[in-house]
Amino acid sequence: MQLRHLAYFVAVADERSFTRAADILGVSQPTLSKQIRALENSLGTGLLVRDRAGIELTSAGEALLPHAQRILIEVDNATRSVHEVASLRRGRVRMGATPSMVEGLLAPVLGRFRAEYPAIDLEVHEAGSRDLTAELSAGRIDLALLIVPLASQIPDLETSIVYTERLVLASPADADMPETMDVADLAGLPLVMFREGYDLRDVTLRACARAGFEPRLSVEGGEMGSVLRFVESGLGHAVVPDIVMGTRTGLRRTQLENPPLARSIAVAHRPLDTLPLAARAFRAVLVEALEG
């Protein structure tokens, strides 16, 4: 079994297509098929089955896939660490965060890190916490800012709470809204709701359920930017992190009480000693900035 064989197998498993996997890997399809057969021969069992719908994994293939992914992640991390030992004069950090965190928390940290390590490339993945967790587990990003308790429920990830943010109600600027209101008072308001899988959607729906009502949704399915624009356009109200309100003149802020809504933010990553040096340096700057 060779690393090349594992990389080819993971590519086919991810794409469920020899053609697409060969294009991604930059090899011919016959070459790819030959390498997969070599891997199957070395293991003494079939890993993939072709049918009309595409490629499916055998039970042996399903068993091998997470181990192959983990091996490739560790090899990639080891290679990157070796390349970065020269006083962090080069390297890359792949950081994930939700849209609200990118806008309100991450941007200043990126500036501080770039000033200290100007030669390190920064790559930001913007997505919901569930999607970022999947990217972390697959090794596509090094670190992520995630919501607790979601982050703490993922095996093989280390998490540290670094920030607690208050959630508020965003309303159109011309709306006649009080400075504070109870969560139960949301029952009579049309809400602009985030898409499925977005943690703020879950937070809002749970808060409404605890208050004993099902919210009335005016629009649903948006990301942070679109939700805020919908509210500015008068389509409804939305529960959002206070930090994204900033200087938006098209929005009015109302504090939520009874109970106040907040969420804890954690930095999540694989075991610290397995992270590339650049990622460890970025984590240090991130934690110092958010906890300071």
Side-chain angles (χ1 to χ4, degrees), residues 3-288:
L3 285 175
R4 181 178 69 255
H5 293 157
L6 294 179
Y8 287 178
F9 166 69
V10 169
V12 175
D14 286 344
E15 296 299 321
R16 299 302 168 107
S17 165
F18 274 86
T19 301
R20 290 194 298 272
D23 289 340
I24 292 172
L25 294 168
V27 300
S28 68
Q29 189 170 334
T31 296
L32 177 58
S33 298
K34 181 180 179 181
Q35 296 300 321
I36 294 296
R37 285 196 300 272
L39 176 60
E40 291 176 325
N41 290 337
S42 69
L43 294 172
T45 186
L47 301 172
L48 303 167
V49 176
R50 292 181 176 87
D51 58 28
R52 292 181 179 178
I55 301 297
E56 295 295 332
L57 299 181
T58 65
S59 56
E62 294 282 2
L64 175 63
L65 182 58
H67 297 287
Q69 290 172 325
R70 191 173 302 115
I71 290 170
L72 294 174
I73 290 169
E74 296 302 330
V75 170
D76 179 63
N77 287 343
T79 302
R80 290 168 58 200
S81 293
V82 170
H83 290 165
E84 294 166 7
V85 294
S87 301
L88 289 175
R89 287 196 292 267
R90 59 180 177 178
R92 178 177 57 143
V93 177
R94 303 169 300 175
M95 179 68 199
T98 66
S100 63
M101 295 179 206
V102 169
E103 181 174 343
L105 297 178
L106 192 57
V109 177
L110 295 174
R112 182 183 299 190
F113 183 81
R114 174 51 54 85
E116 189 169 350
Y117 301 100
I120 303 298
D121 294 330
L122 295 170
E123 181 181 320
V124 177
H125 293 230
E126 192 171 344
S129 288
R130 285 193 177 89
D131 294 336
L132 292 172
T133 300
E135 291 198 58
L136 270 177
S137 297
R140 290 189 288 269
I141 57 178
D142 302 309
L143 311 99
L145 287 173
L146 301 175
I147 306 303
V148 174
L150 175 63
S152 60
Q153 296 171 348
I154 308 303
D156 301 326
L157 295 182
E158 294 183 359
T159 60
S160 302
I161 295 177
V162 292
Y163 188 80
T164 300
E165 61 179 0
R166 184 75 178 265
L167 302 181
V168 300
L169 186 71
S171 303
D174 59 357
D176 183 17
M177 298 295 294
E179 290 187 3
T180 64
M181 64 187 300
D182 292 351
V183 170
D185 295 330
L186 297 178
L189 297 178
L191 296 183
V192 177
M193 187 56 64
F194 293 90
R195 64 172 172 79
E196 291 281 355
Y198 214 92
D199 58 90
L200 283 169
R201 178 189 181 97
D202 298 335
V203 169
T204 303
L205 294 180
R206 283 198 302 269
C208 294
R210 285 195 296 268
F213 70 94
E214 184 174 339
R216 179 162 63 95
L217 306 184
S218 61
V219 183
E220 60 178 312
E223 300 279 350
M224 178 61 67
S226 58
V227 165
L228 294 177
R229 287 193 294 272
F230 292 157
V231 174
E232 289 173 333
S233 299
L235 294 173
H237 312 256
V239 176
V240 301
D242 192 25
I243 199 168
V244 306
M245 299 291 285
T247 58
R248 292 179 181 270
T249 58
L251 295 175
R252 181 184 180 92
R253 175 195 287 105
T254 297
Q255 299 286 350
L256 293 171
E257 305 290 348
N258 296 320
L261 299 184
R263 61 181 187 174
S264 296
I265 309 301
V267 58
H269 48 78
R270 289 185 166 276
L272 191 59
D273 60 359
T274 69
L275 286 181
L277 294 180
R280 278 184 252 177
F282 184 85
R283 182 191 182 281
V285 171
L286 175 69
V287 171
E288 181 181 2

